[in-house]
């Protein structure tokens, strides 16, 4: 096996190993919360599990998957060797060390602060330092992606960067901007407190810095799915990408709008005024633009494929699509979940309306649908699509792959729809148990059980996913039938510099971030909030 | 990336630069005008708040909503404890000297609390391995009469802040004896449940959420393992009746009032466990 | 081909696909009508749902400020 | 492709995308205008109150000292409820509020981050140490409601909730000091 393939597979297996462990924990948590689990587990174990679930899904699965996928794209889309492969391995091992440093305190109950930290609660310093190492590892990946694209551009002056790589670099640059907030929070506030160097924390500032990261990080997780939508799905369906330009514009819009919107996570917070909140709500409304553009462009691309396959009439092309191919099926299921999740997100960003659902199961449902549903199902599809190319082996049957995708879709929908309903009734988040004797809560019980059963379905799907990949490793060698990346209906010959690089957009991000976050952060220097004493969970 | 390439079409690029910048800035500026000026000023007008105040409130420079008058404060009152966990107090605790504390203990405390913090008189708390902050808080409260005791009030009043910290540091440094799991297993399931899970139906949090080392609860929460049984029963009863009230915001008064006498006895037995 | 390149020889994006240009030109006369209607209906439903929740659930629960 | 005027073709594609983008813009504007309209006409805002208070000395402060907590009716008839969120309970644990009257709810915490909502209403705020969180609202229906802590505040978080009694006008009776406590049931 050659080096880059080993590099990609190493990243993917770490990601999916963490995913499987987190899936088990998530299912267990739903059991504990349900009326069936009244005597299962202690709150200490529950919050330990929630911390591990969040860290594994949000930091390990995503970061490792995205790094591995980025290396794959850099080599395949640019058709040139990866620059700095030794650095890539260094970043991998550094991130592995970070994961271990983070996992140990979680497992011993010394870091039950959830993956979103909540200072002035603090856990073991190793927990945070480990996470910093993972982030620094991902920074190396970002630099490698930028270097790879720059090298390609030098060698191919004037030609448009392949969309897959353009999007990957957009994600890398976005991630560099994104991590500034959490890095500042950890390095200047939380880690000194966890080490005992400081005894107090300015909590308002910590929350504001984390909000800087909190929304854009989700787009960092999301972009691989969009890369698959634009560059893989049209070809898998047998068609072409409707518009390459819109693809570029979409990823640029994500870079600009995913960052200055994090304060919509703080709409219910007391440390900011209405006006600064409103500015970011307005910007949040515009972050729906790249997604809505994508929905249209990709649906049009699929329509091309369906009509080429003989579909007629207004909607006849839908039935004509090759739904037996995992990538096409995943895109379809992903879009359905994106629709429901997007609806939940619209409500979340509703300024005052956020009060109706803030920190209820509605929010949990929203991000499980968007990330756990529409994004992770695309991680599956990407894995299924490129695993044969990494191993040189072929699937003997696609049926278990389809079954796994359907199970994931059904499980996610059945789990999250009751959560939306319960959230609307005020079921709150992050609790180890509910008092089902209370008349208000009693009625929630059956729905909590339904979502627990759906959690079992999700667990079955997660196991089947790993099984499908393991089976492939044992399958016979096979030639790969089909190229991966889609052509556009009009493959771009020349594109404006603005759509072929990020200089302009970085300047715009800087300006917008100064406008959106400048005063909200500066206010803590102008009039610091009275600090809170650190509470150590160790 | 910053240097435009020779063969990239710059003619096309110019409008991109201009229009992208104009669009993005127009969106942000319309947000500023709407959110910081129009909405608060209109809201303030209907609530009788002047435009300047409304805009300051929208920015977070002045407290309150642009749409509502701010309520007035109430007069000050007698707090149940004078202790505040400021960095300065934590500094005093951190700078405490266990050796000076040992001398003070030998002079004053030893008669009841024992040299190593193992009580020699009934109904007196064991202090070995107790959290320093907990000891500091109680002594300080005796000194300010937030908590009263025939002997302790007088003793505490004779101590200075730094001496209290020294004594606390000394006892905190005495070896903890971890509860013996075998003894703990003999506790009734209902009591273990109360400790680990609390009672959701009665709104009682688990004891372990605060009273275990490193639980992350209130700073002053004492560690309860190996505590004297009679002492615990007496304190829980005094909390329940309101006779003892130096727990800030009534955290223990509320919980103790919801415990049955049998549970109080069971918890006291549980926490004595392991003390041979 | 460089040895670092995965075996699939997934080539750069220009690799020709199986799409017949004449057929593509034919379907492009209709596309994106179906997609526009489908995506448009879906997005319109989302916004209608948003307005419905705003007016029928949020406002009746009491205004906040 | 070449025989079908690719330029025209490409322009048509971009045209449809622009048309779609215009539609998207209209819908985004529709959602935002709902927000702006209700903000202007009904004074709807997310609860925001940048009012600093020292969490370390909260119990010494006049306003959030123990016996000032709960619901008070001022001389001018305005109703203010003060609640402390602490590990792991709300103080007081039962809150009486009037139905159909403007109420100002004020919260603060001496320790860590908490948050709260009142089921079936729009009352929802984070309680961040260092600040007084404030919600102005009107309870539209009477009855007993739950007020749980909805933000992770430590191992005992799950057992942290209070009850809110929304009392009809006749039952909401302040005592001589203007205080209103929960009805014993």
């Amino acid at each position: 096996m050659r080096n880059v393939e080993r590099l990609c597979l190493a990243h993917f297996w770490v990601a999916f190993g963490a995913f499987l462990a987190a899936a088990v924990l998530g299912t267990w948590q739903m059991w504990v919360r349900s009326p069936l689990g009244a005597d299962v587990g202690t709150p200490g174990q529950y919050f330990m599990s929630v911390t591990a679930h969040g860290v594994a899904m949000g930091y390990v699965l995503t970061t490792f998957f995205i790094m591995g996928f980025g290396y794959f794209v850099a080599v395949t889309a640019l058709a040139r060797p990866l620059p700095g492969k030794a650095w890539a391995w260094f970043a991998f091992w550094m991130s592995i060390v970070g994961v271990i440093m983070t996992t140990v305190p979680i497992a011993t109950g010394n870091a039950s602060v959830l993956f979103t930290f909540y200072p002035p609660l603090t856990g073991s310093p190793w927990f945070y330092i480990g996470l910093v190492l993972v982030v620094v590892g991902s920074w190396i990946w970002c630099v490698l992606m930028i270097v790879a694209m720059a090298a390609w551009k030098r060698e191919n002056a004037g030609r448009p960067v392949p969309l897959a790589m353009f999007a990957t670099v957009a994600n890398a640059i976005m991630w560099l901007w994104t991590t500034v907030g959490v890095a500042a929070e950890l390095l200047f506030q939380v880690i000194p407190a966890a080490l005992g160097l400081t005894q107090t924390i300015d909590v308002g500032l910590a929350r504001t810095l984390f909000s800087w990261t909190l929304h854009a990080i989700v787009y960092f997780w999301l972009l691989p799915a969009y890369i698959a939508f634009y560059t893989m799905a049209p070809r898998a369906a047998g068609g072409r990408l409707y518009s390459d330009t819109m693809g570029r514009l979409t990823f640029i819009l994500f870079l600009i709008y995913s960052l200055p919107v994090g304060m919509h996570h703080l709409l219910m917070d007391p440390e900011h005024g209405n006006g600064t909140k409103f500015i970011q709500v307005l910007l949040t409304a515009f972050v729906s633009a790249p997604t809505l553009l994508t929905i249209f462009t990709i649906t049009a691309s699929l329509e091309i494929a369906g009509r080429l396959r003989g579909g007629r009439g207004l909607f006849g092309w839908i039935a004509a699509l090759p739904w037996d191919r995992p990538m096409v099926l995943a895109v379809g299921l992903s879009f359905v979940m994106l629709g429901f999740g997007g609806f939940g997100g619209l409500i979340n960003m509703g300024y005052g309306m956020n009060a109706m659902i803030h920190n209820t199961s509605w929010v949990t449902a929203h991000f499980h649908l968007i990330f756990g549903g529409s994004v992770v199902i695309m991680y599956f599809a990407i894995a299924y699509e490129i695993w044969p190319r990494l191993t040189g082996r072929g699937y003997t049957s696609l049926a278990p792959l389809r079954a796994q995708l359907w199970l994931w879709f059904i499980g996610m929908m059945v789990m999250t729809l009751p959560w939306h309903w319960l959230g609307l009734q005020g079921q709150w988040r992050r609790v180890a148990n509910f008092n089902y004797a209370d008349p208000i809560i009693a009625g929630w019980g059956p729905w909590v059980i339904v979502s627990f059963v759906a959690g079992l379905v999700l667990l079955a799907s997660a196991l089947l996913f790993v099984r499908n990949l393991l089976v492939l490793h044992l399958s016979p060698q096979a030639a790969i039938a089909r190229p991966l990346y889609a052509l556009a209906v009009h493959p771009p010959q020349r594109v404006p510099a603005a759509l072929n690089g990020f200089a302009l957009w970085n300047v715009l991000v800087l300006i917008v971030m100064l406008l959106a976050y400048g005063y909200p952060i500066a206010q803590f220097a102008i009039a610091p909030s009275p600090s809170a004493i650190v509470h150590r969970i160790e | 990336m910053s240097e435009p390439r020779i063969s990239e079409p710059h003619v096309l690029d110019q409008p991109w630069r201009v229009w992208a910048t104009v669009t993005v800035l127009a969106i942000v500026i319309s947000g500023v005008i709407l959110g910081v000026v129009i909405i608060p000023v209109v809201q303030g007008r209907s609530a009788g708040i002047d435009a300047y105040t409304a805009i300051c409130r929208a920015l977070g420079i002045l407290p309150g909503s642009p749409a509502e008058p701010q309520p007035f404060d109430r007069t000050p009152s007698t707090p149940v404890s004078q202790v505040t966990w400021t960095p300065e107090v934590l500094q005093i605790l951190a700078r405490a000297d266990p050796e000076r504390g040992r001398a003070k203990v030998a002079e004053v405390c030893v008669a009841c609390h024992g040299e190593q913090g193992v009580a020699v008189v009934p109904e007196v708390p064991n202090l070995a391995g107790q959290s320093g902050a907990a000891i500091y808080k109680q002594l300080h409260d005796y000194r300010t009469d937030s908590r009263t005791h025939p002997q302790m009030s007088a003793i505490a009043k004779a101590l200075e802040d730094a001496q209290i910290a020294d004594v606390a540091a000394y006892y905190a440094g005495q070896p903890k004896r971890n509860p013996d799991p075998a003894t703990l297993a003999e506790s009734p399931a209902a009591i273990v449940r109360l400790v680990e899970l609390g009672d959701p139906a009665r709104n009682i949090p688990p004891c372990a959420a605060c009273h275990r080392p490193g639980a992350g609860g209130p700073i002053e929460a004492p560690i309860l393992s190996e505590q004297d049984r009679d002492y615990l029963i007496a304190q829980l009863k005094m909390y329940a009746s309101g006779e003892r009230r130096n727990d800030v915001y009534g955290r223990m008064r509320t919980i103790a009032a919801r415990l049955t006498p049998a549970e109080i006895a069971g918890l006291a037995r549980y926490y004595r466990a392991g003390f041979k | 081909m460089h040895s670092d390149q995965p075996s699939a020889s997934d080539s750069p994006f220009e690799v020709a696909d199986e799409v017949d240009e004449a057929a593509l030109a034919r379907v492009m006369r209709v596309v994106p009508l179906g997609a526009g209607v489908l995506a448009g209906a879906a997005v319109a439903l989302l916004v209608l749902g948003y307005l419905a929740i705003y007016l029928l659930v949020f406002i009746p629960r009491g205004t906040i400020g | 492709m070449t025989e079908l005027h690719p330029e025209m073709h490409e322009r048509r594609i971009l045209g449809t995308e622009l048309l779609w983008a215009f539609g998207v813009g209209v819908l985004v504007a529709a959602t935002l205008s709902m927000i702006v309209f209700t903000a202007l006409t009904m004074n709807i805002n997310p609860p925001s109150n940048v009012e600093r208070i020292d969490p370390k000395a909260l119990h010494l402060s006049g306003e959030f000292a123990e016996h000032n907590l709960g619901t008070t009716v001022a001389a001018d008839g305005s109703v203010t409820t003060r609640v402390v969120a602490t590990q792991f309970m709300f103080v007081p644990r039962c809150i009486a509020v009037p139905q159909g009257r403007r109420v100002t709810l004020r919260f603060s915490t001496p320790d860590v981050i908490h948050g709260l909502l009142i089921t079936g209403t729009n009352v929802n705020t984070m309680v961040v140490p260092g600040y007084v969180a404030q919600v102005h609202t009107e309870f539209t229906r009477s009855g007993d409601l739950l007020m749980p802590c909805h933000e992770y505040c430590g191992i005992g978080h799950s057992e942290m909730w209070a009850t809110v009694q929304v009392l009809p006008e006749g039952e909401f009776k302040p005592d001589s000091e203007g205080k209103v406590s929960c009805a014993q049931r």
Side-chain angles (χ1 to χ4, degrees):
Chain A
M1 227 187 265
R2 269 162 305 203
N3 211 353
V4 169
E5 287 155 345
R6 272 225 322 268
L7 181 71
C8 296
L9 281 173
H11 280 86
F12 288 147
W13 272 118
V14 172
F16 291 131
F19 161 73
L20 189 61
V24 173
L25 293 174
T27 314
W28 181 79
Q29 286 157 221
M30 292 207 283
W31 182 26
V32 175
R33 270 164 38 105
S34 77
L36 306 175
D39 292 310
V40 183
T42 63
Q45 290 161 345
Y46 181 84
F47 291 116
M48 185 195 294
S49 175
V50 177
T51 309
H53 178 83
V55 167
M57 289 293 197
Y59 296 144
V60 184
L61 163 67
T62 50
T63 311
F64 277 84
F65 180 85
I66 292 164
M67 291 200 291
F69 186 49
Y71 294 133
F72 177 85
V73 169
V75 172
T76 55
L78 298 182
R80 65 188 301 287
L82 182 70
K85 211 158 49 211
W87 279 103
W89 277 111
F90 173 72
F92 173 78
W93 286 111
M94 184 161 77
S95 304
I96 290 286
V97 170
V99 170
I100 294 168
M101 279 168 66
T102 299
T103 309
V104 172
I106 295 176
T108 54
N110 291 329
S112 296
V113 292
L114 312 197
F115 81 117
T116 34
F117 308 146
Y118 302 116
L121 290 174
T122 55
S124 155
W126 297 109
F127 170 72
Y128 307 106
I129 295 171
L131 290 178
V132 169
L133 284 188
V134 175
V135 169
V136 174
S138 70
W139 284 347
I140 296 177
W141 171 83
C142 292
V143 172
L144 291 178
M145 292 298 106
I146 293 167
V147 167
M149 187 176 99
W152 186 93
K153 281 177 85 171
R154 261 197 311 278
E155 294 158 9
N156 298 274
R159 291 173 62 203
V161 177
L163 182 57
M165 192 59 195
F166 184 79
T168 301
V169 174
N171 203 14
I173 291 175
M174 187 179 85
W175 181 238
L176 289 173
W177 281 101
T178 302
T179 41
V180 169
V182 70
E185 185 202 4
L186 286 180
L187 295 177
F188 299 122
Q189 295 193 280
V190 177
I191 291 179
L195 286 169
L197 303 176
T198 54
Q199 301 298 336
T200 58
I201 280 187
D202 184 333
V203 184
L205 175 60
R207 286 181 68 76
T208 307
L209 288 175
F210 196 72
S211 83
W212 169 307
T213 299
L214 193 52
H215 200 69
I217 194 173
V218 185
Y219 286 104
F220 173 63
W221 305 340
L222 189 84
L223 253 50
Y226 278 61
I227 294 173
F229 288 160
Y230 277 98
T231 67
M232 297 178 181
R235 189 156 212 158
R240 289 211 176 146
L241 175 60
Y242 185 62
S243 166
D244 180 89
T245 309
M246 279 301 143
R248 288 166 196 274
L249 206 55
T250 295
F251 291 105
I252 288 167
L253 286 173
F254 272 128
L255 172 61
I256 297 177
Y257 283 116
S258 59
L259 282 152
V261 299
M263 221 198 268
H264 69 233
H265 292 253
L266 304 183
L267 284 177
M268 296 298 116
D269 271 45
E271 72 267 14
H272 295 288
N274 294 323
T276 43
K277 289 177 181 174
F278 181 87
I279 295 168
Q280 295 214 9
V281 164
L282 187 110
L283 289 164
T284 306
F286 280 91
V287 84
S288 65
T291 292
L292 293 174
L293 287 177
T294 301
I295 297 292
F296 176 69
T297 308
I298 301 307
T299 311
S301 308
L302 293 178
E303 187 183 353
I304 294 174
R307 291 194 187 280
L308 283 172
R309 294 169 60 91
R312 305 246 164 274
L314 200 53
F315 297 124
W317 53 274
I318 302 174
L321 284 170
W323 294 111
D324 56 328
R325 297 179 190 166
M327 176 59 81
V328 178
L329 177 63
V331 171
L333 300 179
S334 177
F335 271 23
V336 174
M337 292 190 280
L338 196 60
F340 282 93
F343 172 68
L346 267 182
I347 307 291
N348 294 345
M349 61 134 253
Y351 197 52
M353 183 159 53
N354 183 264
M356 186 175 69
I357 39 75
H358 173 73
N359 265 348
T360 68
S361 299
W362 177 283
V363 178
T364 327
H366 164 69
F367 70 76
H368 276 81
L369 257 184
I370 290 274
F371 171 62
S374 52
V375 173
V376 168
I377 208 168
M378 291 309 294
Y379 285 10
F380 297 151
I382 291 169
Y384 286 149
E385 193 74 32
I386 69 182
W387 225 264
R389 294 160 215 272
L390 293 170
T391 59
R393 295 165 199 276
Y395 301 102
T396 45
S397 160
L398 294 180
L401 278 59
R402 289 193 298 268
Q404 188 266 327
L405 295 173
W406 273 111
L407 280 179
W408 192 258
F409 171 73
I410 293 167
M412 201 49 86
M413 291 296 285
V414 177
M415 179 176 80
T416 54
L417 292 184
W419 285 0
H420 280 103
W421 173 239
L422 292 173
L424 218 43
Q425 296 177 59
Q427 189 198 50
W428 55 101
R429 287 174 73 180
R430 306 186 183 103
V431 281
N433 47 57
F434 286 107
N435 172 25
Y436 288 102
D438 185 286
I440 295 175
I441 299 175
W444 301 349
W447 293 110
V448 179
I449 293 175
V450 168
S451 59
F452 167 50
V453 172
L456 292 173
V457 175
L458 287 171
L459 181 58
S461 173
L463 288 167
L464 184 56
F465 170 68
V466 172
R467 176 242 170 224
N468 286 343
L469 293 183
L470 288 176
V471 167
L472 181 70
H473 277 283
L474 305 173
S475 301
Q477 296 276 346
I480 307 301
R482 191 164 48 74
L484 182 60
Y485 296 112
L487 293 182
V489 172
H490 291 280
Q493 303 305 316
R494 303 167 78 207
V495 295
L499 294 187
N500 209 30
F502 296 96
L504 164 65
W505 310 113
N506 274 319
V507 174
L508 270 183
V509 169
L510 180 67
I511 294 171
V512 176
M513 282 304 271
L514 279 175
L515 288 171
Y517 265 107
Y519 177 71
I521 290 180
Q523 71 167 0
F524 294 102
I526 299 165
S529 37
S531 56
I533 290 286
V534 169
H535 285 57
R536 299 176 198 282
I537 295 193
E538 298 183 325
Chain B
M1 260 183 304
S2 54
E3 274 300 302
R5 313 254 160 264
I6 297 155
S7 45
E8 280 176 356
H10 297 288
V11 188
L12 256 178
D13 203 37
Q14 177 97 8
W16 274 100
R17 283 170 192 271
V18 174
W19 285 108
T21 312
V22 167
T23 314
V24 171
L25 289 184
I27 290 171
V28 180
I29 289 167
S30 60
V32 174
I33 293 171
L34 269 172
V36 182
V37 183
I38 296 179
I39 292 176
V41 170
V42 172
Q43 287 183 345
R45 195 174 296 163
S46 71
I49 294 164
D50 66 280
Y52 173 76
T53 309
I55 289 175
C56 285
R57 287 184 177 187
L59 279 171
I61 294 170
L62 290 176
S65 159
E68 298 275 351
Q70 276 294 84
F72 298 105
D73 273 10
R74 300 258 299 169
T75 44
S77 60
T78 331
V80 295
S81 170
Q82 303 287 341
V83 176
T84 56
W85 297 113
T86 59
E88 296 73 44
V89 171
L90 294 177
Q91 269 300 314
I92 293 173
L93 281 173
R95 266 194 251 112
D97 179 358
E99 280 312 307
R100 281 200 308 262
R102 179 199 296 278
K104 203 77 200 167
V105 163
E107 182 190 324
V108 187
C109 321
V110 69
C112 299
H113 292 285
E115 195 189 339
Q116 258 121 44
V118 179
V120 291
V121 178
E123 266 198 50
V124 162
N126 299 316
L127 296 180
Q130 185 54 277
S131 124
I135 301 176
Y136 176 87
K137 160 85 163 50
Q138 297 308 323
L139 281 172
H140 199 284
D141 280 353
Y142 280 128
R143 218 164 52 148
T144 56
D145 285 328
S146 302
R147 183 181 179 185
T148 54
H149 185 273
Q151 283 98 57
M152 286 308 298
S153 296
I155 291 172
K157 280 173 187 164
L159 295 174
E160 285 164 20
D161 234 23
Q163 289 174 320
I164 290 181
D166 291 340
V167 169
Y170 168 75
Y171 275 133
Q174 296 305 304
K176 275 179 207 141
R177 274 153 278 194
N178 287 323
D180 178 357
T183 326
L184 286 180
E186 289 162 17
S187 282
I191 295 298
V192 176
R193 210 185 136 77
L194 212 49
V195 171
E196 297 285 352
L197 287 161
D199 185 355
R202 279 183 295 163
N203 202 347
I204 298 176
C207 311
C210 299
H211 293 293
R212 185 171 277 174
I219 312 286
E220 68 265 29
I223 299 161
L224 288 190
S225 66
E226 301 172 21
Q227 194 46 280
D228 180 78
R229 201 182 69 179
D230 297 336
Y231 173 75
L232 266 187
I233 293 177
Q235 297 308 313
L236 282 172
K237 283 184 174 160
M238 285 204 291
Y239 274 136
S241 69
E243 191 181 332
R244 178 176 168 186
R245 47 188 305 116
N246 69 325
D247 53 331
V248 176
Y249 292 121
R251 285 187 284 230
M252 278 317 297
R253 275 167 281 162
T254 321
I255 293 171
R258 285 166 195 231
L259 295 171
T260 64
E263 282 170 337
I264 289 179
L267 286 170
R269 244 196 325 276
Y270 174 93
Y271 275 115
R272 191 185 175 281
F275 203 71
K276 297 174 204 84
Chain C
M1 181 162 303
H2 198 277
S3 70
D4 276 347
Q5 209 179 313
S7 47
S9 60
D10 270 315
S11 40
F13 62 116
E14 288 95 351
V15 165
D17 55 18
E18 60 278 17
V19 174
D20 172 49
E21 293 294 341
L24 179 67
R26 218 169 32 246
V27 304
M28 283 301 286
R29 286 194 205 117
V30 192
V31 174
L33 184 63
V37 173
L38 182 66
V43 175
L45 271 180
L46 286 196
V47 174
L48 282 180
Y50 167 87
L51 295 177
I53 292 222
Y54 205 106
L55 293 171
L56 302 179
V57 184
F58 171 57
I59 299 285
R61 287 187 176 193
T63 60
I64 44 156
Chain D
M1 202 158 39
T2 35
E3 70 273 15
L4 288 158
H5 311 292
E7 291 260 323
M8 290 298 292
H9 222 141
E10 191 162 1
R11 207 163 276 183
R12 191 180 146 259
I13 288 179
L14 279 181
T16 59
E17 294 275 10
L18 280 178
L19 185 65
W20 172 260
F22 178 74
V24 165
V26 169
L27 292 174
V28 166
T31 54
L32 281 172
S33 53
M34 195 70 208
I35 290 170
V36 173
F37 177 74
T38 53
L40 292 176
T41 58
M42 305 170 79
N43 287 347
I44 289 180
N45 289 315
S48 309
N49 180 44
V50 188
E51 181 177 346
R52 295 171 179 84
I53 193 165
D54 189 359
K56 303 179 284 291
L58 193 71
H59 63 289
L60 305 180
S61 77
E63 184 176 5
F64 287 96
E66 211 171 300
H67 80 248
N68 273 342
L69 301 176
T71 301
T72 317
V73 183
D76 62 353
S78 62
V79 183
T80 307
T81 302
R82 295 179 174 85
V83 178
V84 161
T86 180
Q87 289 174 318
F88 296 99
M89 65 179 64
F90 289 105
V91 189
R93 278 191 172 189
C94 186
I95 300 155
V97 290
Q99 182 193 358
R101 236 166 110 179
R102 206 72 188 157
V103 180
T104 299
L105 302 160
R106 285 167 70 76
F107 306 90
S108 198
T109 171
D111 39 53
V112 298
I113 300 171
H114 301 273
L116 60 96
L117 57 82
I118 300 180
T119 52
T121 75
N122 286 326
V123 176
N124 194 327
T125 184
M126 298 301 300
V127 186
V128 176
Y131 294 89
V132 178
Q134 183 169 275
V135 182
H136 306 277
T137 193
E138 225 174 85
F139 292 90
T140 49
R141 282 179 300 176
S142 65
D144 281 12
L145 303 172
L146 270 177
M147 186 175 91
C149 174
H150 66 37
E151 190 60 279
Y152 179 63
C153 57
I155 304 296
H157 163 59
S158 318
E159 272 68 42
M160 180 168 170
W161 76 82
T163 308
V164 176
Q165 283 187 2
V166 186
L167 301 171
E169 196 55 48
E171 291 177 35
F172 184 80
K173 293 192 194 97
D175 65 12
S176 56
E177 288 178 357
K179 301 205 62 145
V180 187
S181 318
C182 275
Q184 298 299 317
R185 290 178 184 166

